[in-house]
Amino acid sequence: DSGVTQTPKHLITATGQRVTLRCSPRSGDLSVYWYQQSLDQGLQFLIQYYNGEERAKGNILERFSAQQFPDLHSELNLSSLELGDSALYFCASSEGAGGPYNEQFFGPGTRLTVL
Amino acid sequence: GENVGLHLPTLSVQEGDNSIINCAYSNSASDYFIWYKQESGKGPQFIIDIRSNMDKRQGQRVTVLLNKTVKHLSLQIAATQPGDSAVYFCAGLSGGSYIPTFGRGTSLIVHP
């Protein structure tokens, strides 16, 4: 158990819908990272928040947004969902702002299926 | 950014054998690498890391080798056990980057 929790574990929805994925980092970790994992793209970095502020942005679509709240939990919002958004979404956390030796601890993931 | 890729999608070994998982990278400025293990139904888990000023680093039953000349790193697992069955990813960081770039992964299957 990494100490990172994600809810829900599974999510099934229809195209055009909007969903919210939730992540609670390990106690004491200030950074939260969101990744998308699909069979054809591997693990893709989406966005990072550090202590409530956006720190780094990766290949995140404009239909996706995230935020980190004062209690450091984070939410990833996915809207106007398409079939291609079906994937595993992982949240990770680290103590520091990222970079070498800032080990990221991954949650168990949310499996999103868009029908 | 970093372009990190894995040579083999699947590696099958017998229990007790040594396993070698390979990874190539394209950015010669990459200076830090990480190996992750992802078991079925779980998120990736850190195994071992190495800086570019090293060519070898050992952990418990695992060794990472880095060859900067050919931009290649490998993960060696000694005396592979069924519990080692998982997907293994390498990830790289180049100077100034805070976010690792992950390779596609190699599935290691250990037969008892």
Side-chain angles (χ1 to χ4, degrees):
Chain A
D1 183 3
S2 67
V4 178
T5 60
Q6 289 186 249
T7 56
K9 194 174 176 66
H10 300 278
L11 199 48
I12 301 175
T13 189
T15 55
Q17 296 298 304
R18 173 189 169 93
V19 296
T20 297
L21 312 184
R22 195 178 192 278
C23 169
S24 292
R26 290 188 326 153
S27 177
D29 284 359
L30 298 179
S31 274
V32 169
Y33 311 78
W34 285 98
Y35 292 88
Q36 180 191 60
Q37 186 178 45
S38 57
L39 283 176
D40 59 341
Q41 290 293 323
L43 201 63
Q44 299 287 316
F45 167 69
L46 296 177
I47 196 164
Q48 177 202 4
Y49 280 82
Y50 175 71
N51 204 21
E53 301 287 327
E54 183 184 304
R55 171 83 178 177
K57 213 166 186 175
N59 300 320
I60 187 166
L61 299 171
E62 284 191 14
R63 300 183 285 108
F64 296 1
S65 65
Q67 55 184 327
Q68 186 179 30
F69 295 87
D71 67 352
L72 300 176
H73 91 272
S74 177
E75 292 181 355
L76 178 67
N77 300 296
L78 315 177
S79 61
S80 303
L81 284 167
E82 302 174 0
L83 296 177
D85 297 327
S86 295
L88 272 168
Y89 291 84
F90 286 104
C91 167
S93 73
S94 71
E95 189 177 290
Y101 306 111
N102 254 277
E103 183 178 342
Q104 293 187 26
F105 295 85
F106 284 79
T110 292
R111 181 173 292 280
L112 173 66
T113 303
V114 182
L115 301 175
Chain B
E2 173 60 81
N3 183 10
V4 182
L6 294 167
H7 290 310
L8 299 173
T10 303
L11 177 65
S12 291
V13 300
Q14 290 295 128
E15 181 178 0
D17 287 352
N18 296 332
S19 303
I20 300 175
I21 301 170
N22 296 304
C23 181
Y25 62 96
S26 60
N27 188 347
S28 56
S30 297
D31 54 11
Y32 179 70
F33 301 90
I34 312 159
W35 279 100
Y36 286 88
K37 173 185 180 183
Q38 184 176 15
E39 296 177 87
S40 180
K42 296 183 179 180
Q45 179 184 10
F46 172 95
I47 303 173
I48 192 167
D49 58 1
I50 189 167
R51 280 215 83 118
S52 59
N53 60 355
M54 304 170 70
D55 52 21
K56 181 179 180 178
R57 189 155 191 235
Q58 287 184 291
Q60 189 178 14
R61 281 200 307 117
V62 294
T63 301
V64 55
L65 299 178
L66 176 62
N67 185 330
K68 295 179 286 294
T69 303
V70 295
K71 293 184 231 170
H72 179 271
L73 67 159
S74 65
L75 177 71
Q76 300 179 1
I77 305 173
T80 315
Q81 302 167 2
D84 295 326
S85 293
V87 175
Y88 290 81
F89 298 93
C90 68
L93 271 166
S94 33
S97 171
Y98 287 84
I99 307 298
T101 301
F102 289 80
R104 289 183 56 82
T106 290
S107 176
L108 176 65
I109 300 170
V110 183
H111 300 281

